[in-house]
Amino acid sequence: MAIIVELKTTKRRFFLLGTGFGMYKATRPSFFGGNLLPNEEEGKAEVVAVCDENGDIFFMDKASLKVISIDDTPLESMRSKLEVPY
């Protein structure tokens, strides 16, 4: 079955293919310090892979999407499964 996600701004729906947490770090020698004082760049990319009804794959920011259904079951009907009994 599939996980259906919706783009918060346009309400367009996609199939969720996978998630990832990409981190990168790049170094290059500096002009004055060479390899002793390199320029470093690092960051992270929190993206998910989705596809549309035509199978075209997109990478989107995870904060721009929300889950609508899991295995043809609306998320609203599964809300009680996350409640912790006291």
Side-chain angles (χ1 to χ4, degrees), residues 60-80:
M60 297 186 173
D61 180 29
K62 72 175 182 92
S64 67
L65 299 168
K66 70 177 183 175
V67 175
I68 299 299
S69 66
I70 301 171
D71 295 337
D72 288 334
T73 305
L75 202 58
E76 290 296 322
S77 66
M78 293 189 290
R79 189 176 301 272
S80 63

Side-chain angles (χ1 to χ4, degrees), residues 7-20:
L7 193 57
K8 292 178 183 178
T9 55
T10 64
K11 305 295 185 201
R12 185 171 176 202
R13 294 186 176 187
F14 300 92
F15 296 106
L16 179 67
L17 299 177
T19 62

Side-chain angles (χ1 to χ4, degrees), residues 9-73:
T9 55
T10 64
K11 305 295 185 201
R12 185 171 176 202
R13 294 186 176 187
F14 300 92
F15 296 106
L16 179 67
L17 299 177
T19 62
F21 183 78
M23 298 181 76
Y24 66 90
K25 183 172 184 176
T27 61
R28 67 181 194 285
S30 67
F31 182 72
F32 292 110
N35 287 331
L36 295 175
L37 300 169
N39 292 324
E40 295 183 349
E41 296 178 25
E42 60 184 74
K44 61 182 179 178
E46 297 174 348
V47 296
V48 295
V50 299
C51 76
D52 63 6
E53 64 277 0
N54 298 319
D56 294 326
I57 298 172
F58 306 95
F59 290 94
M60 297 186 173
D61 180 29
K62 72 175 182 92
S64 67
L65 299 168
K66 70 177 183 175
V67 175
I68 299 299
S69 66
I70 301 171
D71 295 337
D72 288 334
T73 305

